[in-house]
Amino acid sequence: AKEMEMEKEEEEEERNDVELKGRLFVNAKNGEPVSSFKKALSTACTRAEIDRHEGRRRRVFPYLLRHSFATLAATSSPPVPIVVAQKVMRHSSSKLLLEVYARAGEGVV
């Protein structure tokens, strides 16, 4: 009986792996794919209580994550190699990373 239960669990895990293929985010409660990343991000920020600062609502949106990554990559110590950041962000040139994000990060450091 225990072996059969373990086999069922393994089969379900395999099915889940196949079902999730190509999907980056899934609902932790029901395993369904997230239909709106923006809504999922908003919900996560509300739960983590990072959508408010000093009583005021703070906008958190997907592009903010990208901008934060680029700023931290451009200003971190040790620095993220510019070629790596450029590839991760899918920029054809490092010019934007160097000019915009490095400057934006000056207030952060």
Side-chain angles (χ1 to χ4, degrees):
K2 189 149 183 135
E3 284 181 24
M4 200 121 154
E5 188 176 315
M6 288 176 65
E7 283 181 28
K8 280 185 180 180
E9 286 178 14
E10 286 176 8
E11 286 175 7
E12 187 172 326
E13 283 179 22
E14 286 177 19
R15 232 186 347 270
N16 286 342
D17 287 344
V18 170
E19 291 171 5
L20 299 179
K21 208 170 204 169
R23 296 186 180 128
L24 189 56
F25 300 101
V26 293
N27 184 320
K29 290 181 182 176
N30 61 20
E32 293 293 315
V34 171
S35 58
S36 167
F37 177 72
K38 188 174 182 178
K39 185 175 179 181
L41 178 63
S42 177
T43 301
C45 289
T46 299
R47 285 185 185 156
E49 298 179 1
I50 59 173
D51 64 339
R52 300 215 173 262
H53 180 67
E54 296 178 357
R56 296 178 60 202
R57 185 153 169 75
R58 178 189 294 175
R59 285 186 58 218
V60 180
F61 44 94
Y63 186 79
L64 184 62
L65 298 176
R66 179 180 172 85
H67 181 74
S68 297
F69 167 78
T71 301
L72 291 171
T75 60
S76 66
S77 181
V80 173
I82 195 72
V83 175
V84 173
Q86 180 183 339
K87 284 185 179 184
V88 168
M89 299 202 56
R90 296 184 175 184
H91 284 191
S92 58
S93 166
S94 60
K95 184 178 179 183
L96 183 67
L97 283 169
L98 293 171
E99 290 180 0
V100 176
Y101 294 114
R103 200 170 331 152
E106 288 173 1
V108 176
V109 178

